[in-house]
Coordinates of all heavy atoms in Angstrom, one line a residue:
M1 N 0.8 -1.2 0.0 CA 0.0 0.0 0.0 C 0.9 1.2 0.0 O 0.5 2.3 -0.5 CB -0.9 0.0 1.2 CG -2.1 0.9 1.1 SD -3.0 0.5 -0.4 CE -4.5 1.5 -0.1
L2 N 2.0 1.2 0.6 CA 3.0 2.3 0.6 C 3.4 2.6 -0.9 O 3.4 3.8 -1.2 CB 4.2 2.0 1.4 CG 5.1 3.1 1.7 CD1 4.4 4.3 2.5 CD2 6.3 2.6 2.6
T3 N 3.7 1.6 -1.7 CA 3.9 1.8 -3.1 C 2.8 2.5 -3.8 O 2.9 3.4 -4.6 CB 4.3 0.5 -3.8 OG1 5.4 -0.1 -3.1 CG2 4.6 0.7 -5.3
F4 N 1.6 2.1 -3.5 CA 0.3 2.6 -4.0 C 0.3 4.1 -3.7 O 0.0 5.0 -4.6 CB -0.9 1.9 -3.5 CG -2.2 2.4 -4.1 CD1 -2.7 1.9 -5.2 CD2 -2.9 3.4 -3.4 CE1 -4.0 2.3 -5.7 CE2 -4.2 3.9 -3.9 CZ -4.6 3.3 -5.0
G5 N 0.6 4.5 -2.5 CA 0.6 5.9 -2.0 C 1.6 6.7 -2.8 O 1.4 7.9 -3.2
F6 N 2.8 6.2 -3.0 CA 3.8 6.9 -3.7 C 3.4 7.1 -5.2 O 3.7 8.1 -5.8 CB 5.2 6.2 -3.6 CG 5.9 6.6 -2.4 CD1 6.2 5.6 -1.4 CD2 6.4 7.8 -2.1 CE1 6.9 5.9 -0.2 CE2 7.0 8.2 -0.9 CZ 7.3 7.2 0.0
V7 N 2.9 6.1 -5.8 CA 2.4 6.2 -7.2 C 1.3 7.2 -7.3 O 1.3 8.1 -8.2 CB 1.9 4.8 -7.8 CG1 1.2 5.0 -9.1 CG2 3.1 3.8 -7.9
A8 N 0.4 7.3 -6.4 CA -0.7 8.3 -6.3 C -0.1 9.7 -6.2 O -0.5 10.6 -7.0 CB -1.6 8.0 -5.1
Q9 N 0.9 9.8 -5.3 CA 1.6 11.1 -5.2 C 2.3 11.5 -6.5 O 2.2 12.7 -6.9 CB 2.5 11.1 -4.0 CG 3.0 12.5 -3.6 CD 1.9 13.5 -3.3 OE1 1.1 13.2 -2.5 NE2 2.0 14.6 -3.9
A10 N 2.9 10.6 -7.1 CA 3.6 10.9 -8.4 C 2.7 11.3 -9.5 O 2.9 12.3 -10.2 CB 4.4 9.6 -8.8
L11 N 1.5 10.6 -9.6 CA 0.5 11.1 -10.6 C 0.0 12.4 -10.2 O -0.2 13.3 -11.1 CB -0.7 10.1 -10.6 CG -0.5 8.8 -11.3 CD1 -1.7 7.9 -11.0 CD2 -0.4 9.1 -12.8
F12 N -0.3 12.7 -9.0 CA -0.8 14.0 -8.6 C 0.3 15.1 -8.9 O -0.1 16.2 -9.4 CB -1.1 14.0 -7.1 CG -2.1 15.0 -6.7 CD1 -3.4 14.9 -7.1 CD2 -1.7 16.0 -5.8 CE1 -4.3 15.9 -6.7 CE2 -2.6 16.9 -5.4 CZ -4.0 16.9 -5.8
A13 N 1.5 14.8 -8.7 CA 2.6 15.8 -8.9 C 2.8 16.0 -10.4 O 3.1 17.1 -10.9 CB 3.9 15.4 -8.3
A14 N 2.6 14.9 -11.2 CA 2.8 15.0 -12.7 C 1.9 16.1 -13.3 O 2.3 16.7 -14.3 CB 2.5 13.7 -13.3
R15 N 0.7 16.4 -12.7 CA -0.2 17.4 -13.3 C 0.5 18.7 -13.4 O 0.3 19.5 -14.3 CB -1.5 17.4 -12.6 CG -1.3 18.0 -11.1 CD -2.5 17.6 -10.3 NE -2.4 18.3 -9.0 CZ -3.3 19.1 -8.5 NH1 -4.4 19.4 -9.1 NH2 -3.0 19.7 -7.4
F16 N 1.3 19.1 -12.3 CA 2.0 20.4 -12.3 C 3.0 20.4 -13.4 O 3.2 21.5 -14.1 CB 2.6 20.6 -11.0 CG 1.6 20.9 -9.9 CD1 1.4 19.9 -8.9 CD2 0.8 22.0 -9.9 CE1 0.5 20.2 -7.9 CE2 -0.2 22.2 -8.9 CZ -0.3 21.3 -7.9
I17 N 3.7 19.4 -13.6 CA 4.7 19.3 -14.7 C 4.1 19.5 -16.1 O 4.5 20.3 -16.9 CB 5.5 18.0 -14.7 CG1 6.3 18.0 -13.4 CG2 6.4 17.8 -15.9 CD1 6.9 16.6 -13.0
V18 N 3.0 18.8 -16.3 CA 2.2 18.9 -17.6 C 1.7 20.4 -17.8 O 1.9 20.9 -18.9 CB 1.0 17.9 -17.6 CG1 0.1 18.2 -18.8 CG2 1.5 16.5 -17.7
Q19 N 1.2 20.9 -16.8 CA 0.7 22.3 -16.8 C 1.8 23.3 -17.1 O 1.7 24.2 -17.9 CB -0.1 22.7 -15.6 CG -0.9 24.0 -15.6 CD 0.0 25.2 -15.3 OE1 0.9 25.2 -14.6 NE2 -0.5 26.3 -15.9
W20 N 2.9 23.1 -16.4 CA 4.1 24.0 -16.5 C 4.6 23.9 -18.0 O 4.8 25.0 -18.6 CB 5.1 23.7 -15.5 CG 6.4 24.5 -15.7 CD1 6.5 25.8 -15.8 CD2 7.7 23.9 -15.6 NE1 7.9 26.1 -15.9 CE2 8.6 25.0 -15.8 CE3 8.2 22.6 -15.5 CZ2 10.0 24.8 -15.8 CZ3 9.6 22.5 -15.5 CH2 10.5 23.5 -15.7
V21 N 4.8 22.8 -18.5 CA 5.4 22.6 -19.8 C 4.5 23.2 -20.9 O 4.9 23.9 -21.8 CB 5.7 21.1 -20.1 CG1 6.0 20.9 -21.6 CG2 6.8 20.6 -19.2
K22 N 3.2 22.9 -20.8 CA 2.2 23.4 -21.7 C 2.2 24.9 -21.7 O 2.1 25.6 -22.7 CB 0.8 22.9 -21.4 CG -0.2 23.1 -22.4 CD 0.1 22.2 -23.7 CE -1.1 22.4 -24.6 NZ -0.9 21.6 -25.8
S23 N 2.2 25.5 -20.5 CA 2.2 27.0 -20.4 C 3.5 27.6 -21.0 O 3.5 28.6 -21.7 CB 2.2 27.4 -18.9 OG 0.9 27.0 -18.4
E24 N 4.7 26.9 -20.8 CA 5.9 27.4 -21.3 C 5.9 27.4 -22.8 O 6.3 28.3 -23.5 CB 7.1 26.6 -20.8 CG 7.4 26.9 -19.3 CD 7.9 28.3 -19.0 OE1 8.5 28.9 -20.0 OE2 7.7 28.8 -17.9
I25 N 5.4 26.3 -23.4 CA 5.3 26.2 -24.9 C 4.4 27.3 -25.4 O 4.7 27.9 -26.4 CB 4.8 24.8 -25.3 CG1 5.8 23.7 -25.0 CG2 4.4 24.7 -26.7 CD1 5.3 22.3 -25.1
G26 N 3.2 27.5 -24.8 CA 2.3 28.5 -25.3 C 2.6 30.0 -24.8 O 2.0 30.9 -25.2
R27 N 3.6 30.1 -23.9 CA 4.0 31.4 -23.4 C 2.8 32.1 -22.8 O 2.8 33.3 -22.8 CB 4.6 32.3 -24.5 CG 5.9 31.7 -25.1 CD 6.8 32.9 -25.1 NE 8.1 32.7 -25.6 CZ 9.2 32.4 -24.9 NH1 9.1 32.1 -23.6 NH2 10.4 32.3 -25.4
K28 N 1.9 31.3 -22.2 CA 0.8 31.9 -21.4 C 0.3 30.8 -20.5 O 0.6 29.6 -20.7 CB -0.4 32.4 -22.3 CG -1.0 31.3 -23.1 CD -2.2 31.9 -23.9 CE -2.8 30.8 -24.7 NZ -4.1 31.1 -25.3
S29 N -0.5 31.1 -19.5 CA -0.9 30.1 -18.5 C -2.0 29.3 -19.2 O -3.0 29.8 -19.7 CB -1.5 30.8 -17.3 OG -2.0 29.8 -16.4
V30 N -1.8 28.0 -19.2 CA -2.7 27.0 -19.9 C -2.9 25.9 -18.9 O -2.0 25.4 -18.2 CB -2.0 26.5 -21.2 CG1 -2.9 25.4 -21.8 CG2 -1.7 27.6 -22.2
V31 N -4.2 25.4 -18.9 CA -4.5 24.2 -18.1 C -5.0 23.1 -19.1 O -6.1 23.2 -19.5 CB -5.6 24.5 -17.0 CG1 -5.9 23.3 -16.3 CG2 -5.1 25.6 -16.1
P32 N -4.1 22.3 -19.5 CA -4.5 21.2 -20.5 C -5.4 20.2 -19.8 O -5.4 20.0 -18.6 CB -3.2 20.6 -20.9 CG -2.2 20.9 -19.7 CD -2.7 22.1 -19.1
V33 N -6.1 19.5 -20.7 CA -7.0 18.5 -20.2 C -6.3 17.4 -19.4 O -6.8 16.9 -18.4 CB -7.8 17.8 -21.4 CG1 -8.7 16.6 -20.9 CG2 -8.7 18.8 -22.1
A34 N -5.1 17.1 -19.8 CA -4.3 16.1 -19.0 C -4.1 16.4 -17.6 O -4.0 15.6 -16.7 CB -2.9 15.9 -19.7
F35 N -4.1 17.8 -17.3 CA -4.0 18.3 -15.9 C -5.1 17.7 -15.1 O -4.9 17.2 -13.9 CB -3.9 19.8 -15.9 CG -3.9 20.4 -14.5 CD1 -2.7 20.6 -13.9 CD2 -5.1 20.7 -13.8 CE1 -2.7 21.2 -12.6 CE2 -5.1 21.2 -12.5 CZ -3.8 21.5 -11.9
W36 N -6.3 17.8 -15.6 CA -7.5 17.3 -14.9 C -7.5 15.8 -14.8 O -8.0 15.2 -13.8 CB -8.7 17.8 -15.5 CG -8.8 19.3 -15.5 CD1 -8.7 20.2 -16.6 CD2 -8.8 20.1 -14.3 NE1 -8.7 21.5 -16.1 CE2 -8.7 21.5 -14.8 CE3 -8.9 19.9 -13.0 CZ2 -8.8 22.6 -13.9 CZ3 -8.9 21.0 -12.1 CH2 -8.8 22.3 -12.6
Y37 N -7.0 15.1 -15.8 CA -7.0 13.6 -15.7 C -6.0 13.1 -14.7 O -6.2 12.3 -13.9 CB -6.6 13.0 -17.1 CG -7.8 12.9 -18.0 CD1 -8.0 13.7 -19.1 CD2 -8.8 11.9 -17.7 CE1 -9.1 13.5 -19.9 CE2 -9.9 11.8 -18.5 CZ -10.1 12.6 -19.6 OH -11.2 12.5 -20.4
F38 N -4.7 13.8 -14.6 CA -3.8 13.5 -13.6 C -4.3 13.8 -12.2 O -4.1 13.1 -11.3 CB -2.5 14.2 -13.9 CG -1.6 13.5 -14.8 CD1 -1.2 14.2 -16.0 CD2 -1.0 12.3 -14.6 CE1 -0.4 13.6 -16.9 CE2 -0.2 11.6 -15.5 CZ 0.1 12.3 -16.7
S39 N -5.0 14.9 -12.1 CA -5.6 15.4 -10.9 C -6.6 14.4 -10.4 O -6.6 13.9 -9.2 CB -6.3 16.7 -11.0 OG -5.4 17.8 -11.3
A40 N -7.5 13.9 -11.3 CA -8.5 12.9 -10.9 C -7.9 11.6 -10.5 O -8.3 11.0 -9.5 CB -9.5 12.7 -12.0
A41 N -7.0 11.1 -11.3 CA -6.4 9.8 -11.1 C -5.6 9.8 -9.8 O -5.7 9.0 -8.9 CB -5.5 9.4 -12.3
G42 N -4.7 10.9 -9.6 CA -3.9 11.0 -8.4 C -4.8 11.2 -7.2 O -4.6 10.7 -6.1
G43 N -5.8 12.1 -7.4 CA -6.7 12.4 -6.2 C -7.5 11.2 -5.8 O -7.6 10.9 -4.6
L44 N -7.9 10.4 -6.7 CA -8.7 9.1 -6.4 C -7.8 8.1 -5.7 O -8.1 7.6 -4.6 CB -9.3 8.5 -7.6 CG -10.1 7.2 -7.4 CD1 -11.3 7.5 -6.5 CD2 -10.6 6.6 -8.7
M45 N -6.6 8.0 -6.2 CA -5.6 7.1 -5.5 C -5.2 7.6 -4.2 O -5.1 6.8 -3.2 CB -4.4 6.9 -6.5 CG -4.7 6.0 -7.7 SD -3.3 5.9 -8.8 CE -2.3 4.7 -7.8
M46 N -5.1 8.9 -4.1 CA -4.7 9.5 -2.7 C -5.8 9.3 -1.8 O -5.6 9.0 -0.6 CB -4.3 10.9 -2.9 CG -3.1 11.2 -3.7 SD -1.6 10.6 -2.9 CE -1.4 11.9 -1.6
L47 N -7.1 9.4 -2.3 CA -8.3 9.2 -1.4 C -8.3 7.7 -0.9 O -8.5 7.5 0.3 CB -9.6 9.5 -2.2 CG -10.8 9.3 -1.4 CD1 -10.9 10.1 -0.1 CD2 -12.1 9.5 -2.3
V48 N -8.0 6.8 -1.8 CA -8.0 5.3 -1.4 C -6.9 5.2 -0.3 O -7.1 4.5 0.7 CB -7.7 4.4 -2.6 CG1 -7.4 3.0 -2.2 CG2 -8.9 4.4 -3.5
Y49 N -5.7 5.8 -0.5 CA -4.7 5.7 0.4 C -5.1 6.3 1.8 O -4.8 5.8 2.8 CB -3.4 6.4 -0.1 CG -2.2 6.3 0.8 CD1 -1.5 5.1 0.8 CD2 -1.7 7.3 1.4 CE1 -0.4 4.9 1.7 CE2 -0.6 7.2 2.3 CZ 0.1 6.0 2.4 OH 1.2 5.9 3.2
A50 N -5.7 7.5 1.7 CA -6.2 8.2 3.0 C -7.2 7.3 3.7 O -7.1 7.3 5.0 CB -6.7 9.5 2.6
I51 N -8.1 6.7 3.0 CA -9.0 5.8 3.6 C -8.3 4.6 4.3 O -8.6 4.2 5.4 CB -10.1 5.4 2.6 CG1 -11.0 6.5 2.2 CG2 -11.0 4.2 3.2 CD1 -11.9 6.3 1.0
W52 N -7.4 4.1 3.6 CA -6.6 2.9 4.2 C -5.8 3.4 5.4 O -5.8 2.6 6.4 CB -5.6 2.4 3.1 CG -4.7 1.3 3.6 CD1 -5.1 0.1 3.8 CD2 -3.3 1.5 3.9 NE1 -4.0 -0.7 4.3 CE2 -2.9 0.2 4.4 CE3 -2.4 2.5 3.9 CZ2 -1.6 0.0 4.7 CZ3 -1.1 2.3 4.3 CH2 -0.7 1.0 4.7
R53 N -5.4 4.6 5.4 CA -4.7 5.2 6.6 C -5.6 5.6 7.7 O -5.2 5.9 8.8 CB -3.8 6.4 6.2 CG -2.7 6.1 5.2 CD -1.5 5.4 5.9 NE -1.1 6.1 7.1 CZ 0.0 6.6 7.3 NH1 1.0 6.6 6.4 NH2 0.3 7.2 8.5
K54 N -6.9 5.7 7.4 CA -7.9 6.2 8.3 C -7.7 7.6 8.8 O -7.8 7.8 10.0 CB -8.1 5.2 9.4 CG -8.6 3.8 9.0 CD -8.7 2.8 10.1 CE -9.1 1.5 9.5 NZ -8.6 0.4 10.3
D55 N -7.3 8.4 7.9 CA -7.0 9.8 8.2 C -8.1 10.7 7.8 O -8.2 11.1 6.6 CB -5.6 10.2 7.5 CG -5.2 11.6 7.8 OD1 -6.0 12.5 8.2 OD2 -3.9 11.8 7.8
P56 N -8.9 11.2 8.7 CA -10.1 12.0 8.3 C -9.8 13.3 7.6 O -10.5 13.8 6.7 CB -10.9 12.2 9.6 CG -9.9 11.9 10.7 CD -8.9 11.0 10.1
V57 N -8.7 13.9 8.0 CA -8.3 15.2 7.4 C -7.9 15.0 6.0 O -8.4 15.7 5.1 CB -7.2 15.9 8.2 CG1 -6.7 17.1 7.5 CG2 -7.6 16.2 9.6
F58 N -7.2 14.1 5.7 CA -6.7 13.7 4.4 C -7.8 13.2 3.5 O -7.9 13.6 2.3 CB -5.6 12.6 4.6 CG -4.8 12.3 3.4 CD1 -4.6 13.2 2.3 CD2 -4.0 11.1 3.3 CE1 -3.7 12.9 1.3 CE2 -3.2 10.8 2.3 CZ -3.0 11.7 1.3
I59 N -8.7 12.5 4.1 CA -10.0 12.0 3.4 C -10.8 13.1 2.9 O -11.2 13.2 1.8 CB -10.7 11.0 4.2 CG1 -10.0 9.7 4.4 CG2 -12.1 10.7 3.6 CD1 -10.6 8.8 5.5
V60 N -11.1 14.1 3.8 CA -11.9 15.2 3.4 C -11.2 16.1 2.4 O -11.9 16.5 1.4 CB -12.3 16.1 4.7 CG1 -12.9 17.4 4.3 CG2 -13.2 15.3 5.6
G61 N -10.0 16.3 2.5 CA -9.2 17.1 1.6 C -9.2 16.5 0.2 O -9.5 17.2 -0.8
Q62 N -8.9 15.2 0.1 CA -8.9 14.5 -1.2 C -10.3 14.4 -1.8 O -10.5 14.5 -3.0 CB -8.2 13.2 -1.1 CG -6.8 13.2 -0.9 CD -6.0 14.0 -1.9 OE1 -6.3 13.9 -3.1 NE2 -5.1 14.8 -1.5
S63 N -11.3 14.2 -1.0 CA -12.7 14.0 -1.5 C -13.2 15.3 -2.2 O -13.8 15.3 -3.2 CB -13.6 13.7 -0.3 OG -13.3 12.5 0.2
T64 N -12.9 16.5 -1.5 CA -13.4 17.7 -2.0 C -12.6 18.1 -3.3 O -13.3 18.6 -4.3 CB -13.3 18.8 -1.0 OG1 -12.0 18.9 -0.5 CG2 -14.2 18.6 0.2
G65 N -11.3 17.8 -3.3 CA -10.6 18.1 -4.5 C -11.1 17.2 -5.7 O -11.2 17.7 -6.9
L66 N -11.4 16.0 -5.4 CA -11.8 15.0 -6.5 C -13.1 15.5 -7.1 O -13.2 15.4 -8.3 CB -12.0 13.7 -5.8 CG -12.1 12.5 -6.8 CD1 -11.0 12.4 -7.8 CD2 -12.3 11.2 -6.0
V67 N -14.0 16.1 -6.3 CA -15.2 16.7 -6.9 C -14.9 17.8 -8.0 O -15.4 17.8 -9.0 CB -16.1 17.2 -5.8 CG1 -17.3 18.0 -6.4 CG2 -16.7 16.1 -4.9
V68 N -14.0 18.6 -7.6 CA -13.6 19.7 -8.5 C -13.0 19.1 -9.8 O -13.3 19.6 -10.9 CB -12.6 20.7 -7.8 CG1 -12.1 21.7 -8.8 CG2 -13.3 21.3 -6.6
Y69 N -12.1 18.2 -9.7 CA -11.4 17.6 -10.8 C -12.4 16.9 -11.8 O -12.4 17.1 -13.0 CB -10.3 16.6 -10.4 CG -9.4 17.1 -9.3 CD1 -8.9 16.2 -8.4 CD2 -9.0 18.4 -9.3 CE1 -8.1 16.6 -7.4 CE2 -8.1 18.8 -8.3 CZ -7.7 17.9 -7.3 OH -6.9 18.3 -6.3
L70 N -13.3 16.2 -11.2 CA -14.3 15.4 -12.0 C -15.3 16.4 -12.6 O -15.7 16.2 -13.8 CB -15.0 14.4 -11.2 CG -14.1 13.2 -10.7 CD1 -14.9 12.3 -9.8 CD2 -13.6 12.4 -11.9
R71 N -15.6 17.5 -11.9 CA -16.5 18.5 -12.5 C -15.9 19.1 -13.7 O -16.5 19.4 -14.7 CB -16.9 19.5 -11.4 CG -17.8 20.6 -11.9 CD -19.2 20.1 -12.3 NE -20.0 21.3 -12.7 CZ -21.0 21.2 -13.5 NH1 -21.3 20.1 -14.1 NH2 -21.6 22.3 -13.8
N72 N -14.6 19.5 -13.6 CA -13.9 20.1 -14.7 C -13.9 19.2 -15.9 O -14.1 19.7 -17.0 CB -12.5 20.6 -14.3 CG -12.5 21.9 -13.7 OD1 -12.6 22.9 -14.4 ND2 -12.4 22.0 -12.4
L73 N -13.6 17.9 -15.7 CA -13.6 17.0 -16.8 C -15.0 16.9 -17.4 O -15.1 16.8 -18.7 CB -13.1 15.6 -16.3 CG -11.6 15.5 -16.1 CD1 -11.3 14.2 -15.4 CD2 -10.9 15.6 -17.5
H74 N -16.0 16.9 -16.6 CA -17.4 16.9 -17.1 C -17.7 18.1 -18.0 O -18.2 18.0 -19.1 CB -18.4 16.8 -16.0 CG -19.9 17.0 -16.4 ND1 -20.5 16.0 -17.0 CD2 -20.7 18.0 -16.3 CE1 -21.7 16.4 -17.3 NE2 -21.8 17.7 -16.8
L75 N -17.3 19.3 -17.5 CA -17.5 20.5 -18.3 C -16.8 20.5 -19.6 O -17.3 20.9 -20.6 CB -17.1 21.7 -17.4 CG -18.0 22.0 -16.2 CD1 -17.3 23.1 -15.3 CD2 -19.4 22.4 -16.6
I76 N -15.5 20.0 -19.6 CA -14.7 19.9 -20.8 C -15.3 19.0 -21.8 O -15.5 19.4 -23.0 CB -13.3 19.5 -20.5 CG1 -12.5 20.5 -19.7 CG2 -12.6 19.0 -21.7 CD1 -11.3 20.1 -19.0
H77 N -15.8 17.9 -21.4 CA -16.4 16.9 -22.3 C -17.8 17.4 -22.8 O -18.1 17.2 -24.0 CB -16.5 15.5 -21.7 CG -15.1 14.9 -21.6 ND1 -14.4 14.4 -22.7 CD2 -14.3 14.6 -20.5 CE1 -13.2 14.0 -22.3 NE2 -13.2 14.1 -21.0
R78 N -18.5 18.1 -21.9 CA -19.8 18.6 -22.4 C -19.6 19.7 -23.4 O -20.3 19.8 -24.4 CB -20.6 19.2 -21.2 CG -22.0 19.6 -21.6 CD -22.7 20.2 -20.4 NE -22.1 21.4 -20.0 CZ -22.5 22.1 -18.9 NH1 -23.6 21.6 -18.2 NH2 -22.0 23.2 -18.6
E79 N -18.6 20.6 -23.2 CA -18.3 21.6 -24.2 C -17.9 21.0 -25.5 O -18.3 21.5 -26.6 CB -17.2 22.5 -23.6 CG -16.8 23.6 -24.5 CD -15.6 24.5 -24.0 OE1 -15.4 24.3 -22.8 OE2 -15.1 25.2 -24.8
K80 N -17.1 19.9 -25.5 CA -16.7 19.3 -26.8 C -18.0 18.7 -27.5 O -18.1 18.7 -28.7 CB -15.7 18.2 -26.5 CG -14.3 18.7 -26.2 CD -13.4 17.6 -26.0 CE -12.0 18.1 -25.6 NZ -11.0 17.1 -25.4
R81 N -18.9 18.1 -26.7 CA -20.1 17.5 -27.3 C -21.0 18.6 -28.0 O -21.5 18.4 -29.1 CB -20.9 16.7 -26.3 CG -20.4 15.4 -25.9 CD -21.4 14.5 -25.1 NE -22.0 15.2 -24.0 CZ -21.5 15.2 -22.8 NH1 -20.3 14.5 -22.5 NH2 -22.0 15.8 -21.7
V82 N -21.1 19.7 -27.3 CA -21.9 20.8 -27.8 C -21.3 21.4 -29.0 O -22.0 21.6 -30.0 CB -22.1 21.9 -26.7 CG1 -22.6 23.2 -27.3 CG2 -22.9 21.4 -25.6
A83 N -19.9 21.5 -29.0 CA -19.2 22.0 -30.2 C -19.4 21.1 -31.4 O -19.6 21.5 -32.5 CB -17.8 22.3 -29.9
L84 N -19.3 19.8 -31.1 CA -19.4 18.8 -32.2 C -20.8 18.8 -32.8 O -21.1 18.8 -34.0 CB -19.1 17.4 -31.6 CG -19.1 16.2 -32.6 CD1 -18.1 16.5 -33.7 CD2 -18.8 14.9 -31.9
A85 N -21.9 18.9 -31.9 CA -23.2 19.0 -32.3 C -23.5 20.2 -33.2 O -24.2 20.2 -34.2 CB -24.2 18.9 -31.2
A86 N -22.9 21.3 -32.8 CA -23.1 22.6 -33.5 C -22.4 22.5 -34.9 O -23.0 23.0 -35.9 CB -22.5 23.8 -32.7
A87 N -21.2 21.9 -34.9 CA -20.5 21.7 -36.2 C -21.4 20.8 -37.1 O -21.4 21.0 -38.4 CB -19.1 21.1 -36.0
K88 N -22.0 19.8 -36.6 CA -22.8 18.8 -37.4 C -24.0 19.6 -38.0 O -24.4 19.4 -39.1 CB -23.2 17.6 -36.6 CG -22.1 16.6 -36.4 CD -22.6 15.4 -35.7 CE -21.5 14.4 -35.5 NZ -22.0 13.2 -34.8
D89 N -24.6 20.4 -37.1 CA -25.8 21.2 -37.5 C -25.4 22.2 -38.6 O -26.2 22.3 -39.6 CB -26.4 22.0 -36.3 CG -27.1 21.0 -35.4 OD1 -27.5 19.9 -35.8 OD2 -27.5 21.5 -34.2
Q90 N -24.3 22.8 -38.4 CA -23.8 23.8 -39.4 C -23.5 23.1 -40.7 O -23.8 23.7 -41.8 CB -22.6 24.6 -38.9 CG -22.3 25.8 -39.7 CD -21.2 26.6 -39.0 OE1 -20.3 26.1 -38.3 NE2 -21.3 27.9 -39.2
A91 N -22.9 21.9 -40.7 CA -22.5 21.2 -41.9 C -23.8 20.7 -42.6 O -23.8 20.7 -43.8 CB -21.6 20.1 -41.6
G92 N -24.8 20.4 -41.9 CA -26.1 20.0 -42.5 C -26.9 21.1 -43.1 O -27.8 20.8 -43.9
D93 N -26.6 22.4 -42.7 CA -27.4 23.5 -43.3 C -26.9 23.9 -44.7 O -27.6 24.6 -45.4 CB -27.2 24.7 -42.4 CG -28.0 24.5 -41.0 OD1 -28.8 23.6 -41.0 OD2 -27.7 25.2 -40.1
D94 N -25.8 23.4 -45.1 CA -25.3 23.8 -46.5 C -26.0 23.2 -47.6 O -26.6 22.4 -47.8 CB -23.8 23.5 -46.5 CG -23.0 24.3 -45.7 OD1 -23.5 25.0 -44.8 OD2 -21.8 24.3 -45.8

């Protein structure tokens, strides 16, 4: 379980590296979709680890963060579906 905890922390930390590199490439602050996937995966694994450790402070912290990460992924995917539907509608109007 200790290895699981370290892998979870590594996934969680990877999101900052992804965000930093993407921002440096674009020369502006950017939050790529991969940031939210790493956040959700690392956050979920950290939550499992916190539950295993029976640490209520850690459990509450990871639980609330996980809600934010999953909500952002939902909004991103919803926006893509709406854009795709609009593009299909526009292509059908020609």
Side-chain angles (χ1 to χ4, degrees):
M1 198 57 170
L2 191 58
T3 300
F4 182 88
F6 276 116
V7 170
Q9 188 60 48
L11 279 174
F12 203 66
R15 68 197 187 123
F16 291 113
I17 295 167
V18 168
Q19 191 275 331
W20 174 49
V21 169
K22 191 72 172 179
S23 293
E24 288 295 330
I25 290 169
R27 296 228 181 265
K28 64 178 182 169
S29 182
V30 176
V31 181
V33 175
F35 177 90
W36 299 113
Y37 278 108
F38 278 117
S39 296
L44 180 61
M45 289 177 72
M46 295 291 284
L47 177 60
V48 169
Y49 184 75
I51 291 168
W52 177 74
R53 296 285 311 243
K54 298 179 182 151
D55 183 332
V57 174
F58 197 16
I59 291 168
V60 170
Q62 290 302 320
S63 297
T64 54
L66 195 55
V67 169
V68 174
Y69 312 143
L70 294 174
R71 177 66 175 152
N72 274 283
L73 284 169
H74 171 75
L75 292 171
I76 288 165
H77 289 289
R78 186 178 69 182
E79 183 179 344
K80 286 181 181 181
R81 282 193 310 269
V82 168
L84 183 59
K88 284 181 180 180
D89 286 346
Q90 193 173 32
D93 289 344
D94 291 13

